Each structure stands twice: as structure tokens, then as C-alpha cells.
Amino acid sequence: MTKRIHAKHKIDRRLGENIWGRPKSPQNKREYGPGEHGQRRRGKLSDYGQQLRAKQKLKGYYGNITEKQFKSIYHEASRLRGDTSEKLIGLLERRLDAIVYRAKFVPTVFAARQFVSHGHVKVNGKRVTIPSYRCREGDVIEVRDKSKDQGMVLEAAQSSERDVPDYIDVDHGKMVAKFTRTPTLTDVPYPVIMEPNLVIEFYSR
């Protein structure tokens, strides 16, 4: 088991949920946390505990973004007009690695980050190697020609494990996707309940 897969599974078990909805998650078999004390009964969480958990879950879902980066996204969302929790989701879903994952070019958000950073993706015809690069509505994201035949890419595109959301148009024959609009919380196909409102409360304390 690679370090990345181990870390991914540890996130699931620590949170007590299969946050990516993957069949291989250990959470499907063991409903307790990692470590020697993992099987102890979980106590009722305080308001702070619930807010912290919501933040860890959302942050973990997007490839365990660093605290500094995640907090920066929150601050940006808070400066935008409208519902801050909806703006937070919109900013997260506009990340290039998130779109590559949503388009089913790769099997996991962790793989998406690596895929982008290794130079396999172009945005509007130009190679972009920054996973956190923020796409705009109308941007065209494509897998570079020399990367289209990678086994991981072909397998992900054919997988029935998840569907491409309707705010992304994809042609898997050409490995090209178009980000058509910024989604709201209800548009995003999270396998578990996300509570960005509690994340906002956490940072607003």
C-alpha cells in the first residue's frame, strides 16, 4: 500500500465515513477509527467538535488541502457577495484538480493532483501544472495527447463508480471537458453529507 493510499484510508477511518464513496475504503468493513483506541465508542460532539469535523471532512475530500490553503479559500469566499458556504463550495469545485477528478480523467482526487502537477493536463490549450489553478466558466480542460492512453485514464473514464456532474461537459473519446458553470452545494455529487455552513462557523469564531 502506497503512502498516499494509506493516508487516504486513514482520513476515512478517522472521520468514520467513506467520504469518497469508494468500494475499497476500509470504512466499508470497519466502522471504527484508526489506532488502538479506535474502537472506543464515539462521544457526542460539542458544537466546536461538529464544526471541526465538518472542516476536516471537506478539506480531506479535496485531497487533504493544507490548512493554510483551505483557510485562504474560506477568506476569499467570505469576501464574495452572497452565501459564504455556497461560495466556498464554488471555489473548491473550480480547482483544476477537482475538475479533472469530476470529469473522470482519473480515479481519485489524489491522482488528479499528481496528474496535473506532472504536466498531463491543458487548460484552453496551455499546459497547467498547478492543481489549485482556478478555472473559469467556459474553460476547456483536456488530457495531453501523450497521456490519453494511460491505463489509469482509460480505466477512470470507463468506471461506473461515479457519474460526471451536469456542470461539466465531457467527451471521453477526445478526453476533453468544459467547465460550464460554477455549481452550488446541491449540484455537487458528494457521497456523504457536507456541511460548509459549519465550516464557516468554525472560522467565524
Side-chain angles (χ1 to χ4, degrees), residues 43-53 198:
K44 188 177 179 182
L45 290 174
S46 63
D47 287 347
Y48 171 79
Q50 291 175 6
Q51 294 162 2
L52 176 62
R53 180 183 169 82
L198 294 183

Side-chain angles (χ1 to χ4, degrees), residues 18-82:
N18 180 1
I19 63 174
W20 295 283
R22 302 215 70 200
K24 292 182 181 179
S25 171
Q27 196 57 35
N28 296 336
K29 298 177 182 178
R30 295 172 289 195
E31 296 184 355
Y32 52 86
E36 61 179 301
H37 303 299
Q39 294 190 56
R40 287 183 179 176
R41 182 179 294 179
R42 294 175 187 267
K44 188 177 179 182
L45 290 174
S46 63
D47 287 347
Y48 171 79
Q50 291 175 6
Q51 294 162 2
L52 176 62
R53 180 183 169 82
K55 185 202 73 162
Q56 289 174 328
K57 189 160 62 168
L58 192 62
K59 186 160 74 82
Y61 180 86
Y62 288 94
N64 221 14
I65 299 171
T66 66
E67 177 60 25
K68 183 179 179 182
Q69 207 172 16
F70 194 70
K71 193 171 184 179
S72 175
I73 297 170
Y74 155 74
H75 282 307
E76 187 171 353
S78 68
R79 290 192 294 268
L80 296 173
R81 261 178 137 177

Side-chain angles (χ1 to χ4, degrees), residues 35-153:
E36 61 179 301
H37 303 299
Q39 294 190 56
R40 287 183 179 176
R41 182 179 294 179
R42 294 175 187 267
K44 188 177 179 182
L45 290 174
S46 63
D47 287 347
Y48 171 79
Q50 291 175 6
Q51 294 162 2
L52 176 62
R53 180 183 169 82
K55 185 202 73 162
Q56 289 174 328
K57 189 160 62 168
L58 192 62
K59 186 160 74 82
Y61 180 86
Y62 288 94
N64 221 14
I65 299 171
T66 66
E67 177 60 25
K68 183 179 179 182
Q69 207 172 16
F70 194 70
K71 193 171 184 179
S72 175
I73 297 170
Y74 155 74
H75 282 307
E76 187 171 353
S78 68
R79 290 192 294 268
L80 296 173
R81 261 178 137 177
D83 186 326
T84 302
S85 61
E86 291 285 2
K87 298 299 179 185
L88 176 64
I89 296 299
L91 290 174
L92 289 167
E93 284 294 303
R94 284 173 57 195
R95 287 174 58 97
L96 180 56
D97 56 359
I99 294 173
V100 167
Y101 172 62
R102 293 276 180 235
K104 291 175 63 176
F105 291 156
V106 291
T108 70
V109 71
F110 292 90
R113 180 182 296 173
Q114 191 174 51
F115 197 65
V116 172
S117 63
H118 287 185
H120 297 297
V121 176
K122 292 194 291 186
V123 178
N124 299 328
K126 295 182 180 179
R127 187 169 69 154
V128 178
T129 58
I130 304 168
S132 61
Y133 175 86
R134 189 162 298 150
C135 294
R136 300 181 180 209
E137 294 178 1
D139 278 357
V140 175
I141 297 92
E142 62 182 306
V143 177
R144 294 181 73 199
D145 287 341
K146 68 177 185 178
S147 309
K148 289 179 180 178
D149 292 329
Q150 284 192 25
M152 174 181 70
V153 175

